[in-house]
Amino acid sequence: MKISFFSILFTSILFAQTDYPKNYFCPPLDIPLQLSGNFGELRPNHFHAGFDMKTLQREGINVYAVADGYVSRIKISTFGNGKTIYIDHPNGYTSVYGHLQKATDFIESVIKKTHYKEQSFEIEMYFKPNEMPVSKGQLIALSGNTGASEGPHLHFEFRDTKTEKVINPMFFGFDTFMEDAKKPIVSNLFVYPLDSKTTVNHAQRLIPINLSLQKDGTYLADKVVANGKIGFGISAYDYDDVSFNKNGVFDVNLFCNGKSIFGYQFNTYSFDEMRYINAFIDYSFYKKTQQRIQKLFMNPPFNLSIIRTDDTNGVISVLPNVNSVCRLEVSDFYGNKTTITIPISYDALSTIIEKEAVVSNYLVKASKDCFFEKDKCSVFFPAGTFYNDFNLNFDVKNNVLTVHDDTVPAHSSFTVSMESDSFSESLKEKVFIGRIEGRRVSYNATRQKENVYEAKTKTLGQFKLVLDTIPPIISMTKPIEGKTLDNQKLLQVNISDSVSGIKSYNGYLNGEWILMEYDNKTGLLTHNFSDGIVAQGNNVLKVVVVDNVGNSSIFETHFQRNQKQ
């Protein structure tokens, strides 16, 4: 895909001229602002969309509306941002508050009513401007650890209300709530030979380049000696003055002989662009080492709006009799900058480190539809599934379909099909295509027609047909059979499923549906007696859990209650 340098430059200029309000919004917390994650930080399959704000390592910290507006949306999910509130503001921006423990006052009462109306823990609600107004500094929620959170904190975002693009909170004056006098750290500089003919420092594969600190505080890289097309990559992070977390860098710019040839700034982007992170980084290196290299070139180019480049797309041609000097500048939002000078010269070096061998028997052309089939198994890649052409390892052995491995990123879904007559008619609906990850098998939503099973996925790897006839497991965290629970505020139940995973869960007290909040990290269902469903005297609890292929379990017990809590 061809990207116009003019359009990228114009977009950058337009963005630079955007006048974001600096003093309009207040912080969402009334404790000192410390980040455990910043805007644009590199995450699995996405760029971070906002700030992760520390909450003193605990839940229950007050969360406030950052400006006047109205609650426009509430989403309660077991994954993602968990319990989330969205507030639209009259100046055209939306603030987002995620991983909440609970909302407060009227907002929480509306949420609770909707849970019971829809008889579901996972809900999503939208509101009109006059339905739920809030004022600046109004208490709206308590911080929590819900959804995919790995610890108590507040996830906070700014979005453009019309486009829903996320915007770096620093542009709204949030830089004044923290201090940062530290330069970003470039922990590693790498150089890539970008075609099969190029050798760099006697290597035909990615190699690190040593850096030396200079007296003026900049860095000098060892000379890069090459004979063809090359590109650079970095591992980089940033600290502020009050946190000890490695945050992402804000701005990167690569110059060659004084000319800017490639860079990016984490300013604003859409959710549709998030998965381009897998083209932005060296995905294969990440999967092998769990370290992310941010590439300073696009080969081939891709449509990620934060990138600014000229027509070279960051690819440097090292030619005979031409010495070049590259300068790399890595900055944070506060203007602290790390500078690296990289000398480059031409030489037809011998190859000592050969190109890494690839086990494959097919070629995938990223720009074309591709279909591969063997032993009643097949895979179909629509055009545009991948960023690059690659050599595909495709095979079937012992009923296991190998579709390469997860060192090649897919941008969109592809289809895996497997045919088998091994399952009786009554068992076919219990079969799914599972992806094998060591000893673990992950579930893929599977369609079945006659003896053919089909699933869509975005992850390469090994697949097999899995029969799941094992129902979910339900158990009380503490036995309550026949006990009196006068002073107990909560009912808690553990649920799990070892094969296809849990699809739905429902709880009932004396035949009436009750809200049971599900924590997917612990497998815990929790009901709060304050909902007012519990009866005086004898109570019968019933919990029904269904897995992804329809196996179900029912658990029943009873307890006494002499007073409502």
Side-chain angles (χ1 to χ4, degrees):
M1 66 189 76
K2 184 69 174 176
I3 299 178
S4 166
F5 172 59
F6 175 79
S7 65
I8 291 176
L9 180 62
F10 178 78
T11 300
S12 299
I13 294 172
L14 183 65
F15 179 83
Q17 293 175 342
T18 302
D19 186 18
Y20 292 102
K22 300 293 185 182
N23 301 308
Y24 188 89
F25 298 103
C26 68
L29 303 174
D30 58 3
I31 58 176
L33 184 57
Q34 295 188 37
L35 300 184
S36 58
N38 68 340
F39 186 87
E41 193 172 280
L42 309 180
R43 301 285 178 89
N45 295 317
H46 70 286
F47 300 103
H48 194 223
F51 282 174
D52 284 344
M53 300 180 178
K54 295 185 178 184
T55 56
L56 306 177
Q57 299 181 327
R58 62 184 176 89
E59 299 184 41
I61 300 297
N62 289 345
V63 177
Y64 302 93
V66 295
D68 293 348
Y70 72 97
V71 175
S72 58
R73 178 186 177 197
I74 295 174
K75 184 175 182 179
I76 310 294
S77 173
T78 57
F79 297 95
N81 287 333
K83 297 182 180 182
T84 311
I85 293 175
Y86 303 73
I87 297 177
D88 284 8
H89 305 284
N91 62 349
Y93 301 104
T94 297
S95 55
V96 182
Y97 314 75
H99 303 309
L100 302 172
Q101 181 190 79
K102 61 180 295 187
T104 55
D105 302 327
F106 177 67
I107 302 173
E108 180 65 15
S109 68
V110 172
I111 293 172
K112 188 64 66 71
K113 288 178 182 177
T114 306
H115 283 307
Y116 277 94
K117 179 182 178 181
E118 298 187 10
Q119 294 195 356
S120 175
F121 172 56
E122 295 197 82
I123 56 176
E124 189 165 12
M125 300 170 282
Y126 294 87
F127 303 94
K128 297 177 181 178
N130 61 343
E131 292 181 313
M132 205 176 296
V134 295
S135 57
K136 184 175 183 177
Q138 178 180 328
L139 179 65
I140 59 168
L142 300 178
S143 68
N145 186 30
T146 56
S149 171
E150 295 181 356
H153 72 277
L154 173 69
H155 175 81
F156 178 80
E157 298 175 15
F158 279 118
R159 299 184 185 182
D160 181 290
T161 303
K162 288 184 178 180
T163 66
E164 291 196 353
K165 283 188 174 184
V166 289
I167 305 167
N168 193 331
M170 290 295 194
F171 287 107
F172 296 91
F174 273 51
D175 56 317
T176 62
F177 305 143
M178 297 172 286
E179 294 183 359
D180 183 358
K182 299 177 180 179
K183 294 181 179 180
I185 296 172
V186 178
S187 56
N188 291 288
L189 172 68
F190 300 90
V191 61
Y192 292 79
L194 296 182
D195 57 42
S196 59
K197 299 178 181 179
T198 299
T199 299
V200 182
N201 293 8
H202 295 286
Q204 288 187 327
R205 64 175 72 176
L206 165 74
I207 57 169
I209 304 297
N210 291 325
L211 302 176
S212 300
L213 179 63
Q214 304 301 292
K215 291 182 179 180
D216 62 358
T218 66
Y219 289 85
L220 176 65
D222 286 356
K223 180 182 287 187
V224 174
V225 181
N227 53 16
K229 294 182 177 181
I230 65 172
F232 291 104
I234 57 171
S235 293
Y237 56 91
D238 187 41
Y239 288 112
D240 59 38
D241 291 355
V242 295
S243 304
F244 299 97
N245 298 80
K246 290 182 178 180
N247 293 320
V249 299
F250 172 64
D251 190 275
V252 175
N253 207 355
L254 178 65
F255 300 84
C256 187
N257 298 326
K259 178 185 177 183
S260 177
I261 63 169
F262 193 87
Y264 45 86
Q265 183 183 102
F266 286 103
N267 42 41
T268 179
Y269 39 79
S270 70
F271 286 96
D272 291 340
E273 298 178 87
M274 289 293 195
R275 199 169 177 86
Y276 279 119
I277 188 175
N278 294 331
F280 178 81
I281 67 171
D282 185 333
Y283 185 87
S284 177
F285 188 86
Y286 166 63
K287 283 296 178 177
K288 294 173 182 176
T289 68
Q290 295 302 298
Q291 298 178 28
R292 294 183 176 92
I293 299 175
Q294 301 168 212
K295 295 188 295 185
L296 305 181
F297 60 92
M298 294 189 294
N299 186 30
F302 50 91
N303 286 316
L304 179 57
S305 63
I306 63 171
I307 291 175
R308 53 182 184 263
T309 184
D310 63 5
D311 55 7
T312 68
N313 291 313
V315 176
I316 301 166
S317 296
V318 184
L319 304 173
N321 304 316
V322 177
N323 290 329
S324 299
V325 176
C326 284
R327 185 175 83 254
L328 175 63
E329 297 179 350
V330 182
S331 307
D332 61 24
F333 189 86
Y334 294 81
N336 303 305
K337 183 187 300 182
T338 295
T339 302
I340 301 171
T341 301
I342 312 167
I344 303 172
S345 66
Y346 177 90
D347 198 348
L349 299 173
S350 60
T351 301
I352 298 175
I353 304 175
E354 300 285 346
K355 190 175 182 179
E356 188 174 359
V358 178
V359 178
S360 65
N361 46 9
Y362 298 95
L363 175 66
V364 172
K365 299 289 288 184
S367 61
K368 296 182 178 180
D369 290 350
C370 296
F371 179 79
F372 303 95
E373 185 177 22
K374 181 181 179 181
D375 296 346
K376 297 183 178 181
C377 296
S378 67
V379 61
F380 173 65
F381 303 124
T385 299
F386 301 101
Y387 307 109
N388 301 85
D389 299 346
F390 71 99
N391 294 308
L392 172 75
N393 179 21
F394 176 84
D395 203 1
V396 180
K397 289 182 179 179
N398 301 321
N399 298 318
V400 174
L401 168 62
T402 297
V403 188
H404 208 74
D405 58 53
D406 191 25
T407 58
V408 176
H411 187 74
S412 53
S413 296
F414 57 90
T415 302
V416 174
S417 298
M418 306 182 76
E419 183 178 350
S420 174
D421 57 6
S422 300
F423 306 104
S424 66
E425 199 65 34
S426 61
L427 290 178
K428 285 181 179 179
E429 64 180 12
K430 305 293 185 184
V431 176
F432 67 92
I433 295 178
R435 182 173 176 273
I436 306 170
E437 302 173 83
R439 295 183 177 181
R440 180 174 174 265
V441 177
S442 57
Y443 171 80
N444 288 292
T446 302
R447 294 184 296 177
Q448 173 259 324
K449 185 177 181 180
E450 296 179 349
N451 292 330
V452 178
Y453 302 84
E454 182 179 285
K456 291 186 180 294
T457 180
K458 292 183 179 179
T459 307
L460 296 172
Q462 291 188 313
F463 302 88
K464 69 178 182 180
L465 291 176
V466 180
L467 174 65
D468 179 9
T469 59
I470 303 172
I473 296 174
I474 308 172
S475 63
M476 299 298 304
T477 55
K478 295 180 180 179
I480 63 171
E481 183 83 24
K483 294 187 177 181
T484 301
L485 307 182
D486 288 357
N487 298 315
Q488 195 163 310
K489 294 182 179 181
L490 305 174
L491 271 179
Q492 292 189 313
V493 180
N494 286 113
I495 62 174
S496 63
D497 187 85
S498 60
V499 187
S500 63
I502 292 168
K503 181 179 182 179
S504 66
Y505 42 87
N506 285 284
Y508 304 87
L509 265 181
N510 308 316
E512 185 175 353
W513 187 89
I514 57 172
L515 172 63
M516 301 198 82
E517 298 194 7
Y518 179 51
D519 184 345
N520 70 80
K521 298 185 287 291
T522 62
L524 198 64
L525 286 177
T526 301
H527 172 69
N528 197 314
F529 282 135
S530 65
D531 286 3
I533 310 299
V534 65
Q536 301 286 353
N538 188 57
N539 285 266
V540 177
L541 172 67
K542 178 181 178 180
V543 179
V544 181
V545 181
V546 182
D547 69 17
N548 278 302
V549 295
N551 299 306
S552 63
S553 293
I554 299 176
F555 174 87
E556 291 186 281
T557 188
H558 65 92
F559 61 91
Q560 298 291 317
R561 183 82 168 181
N562 295 321
Q563 59 180 353
K564 293 186 178 181
Q565 295 290 325

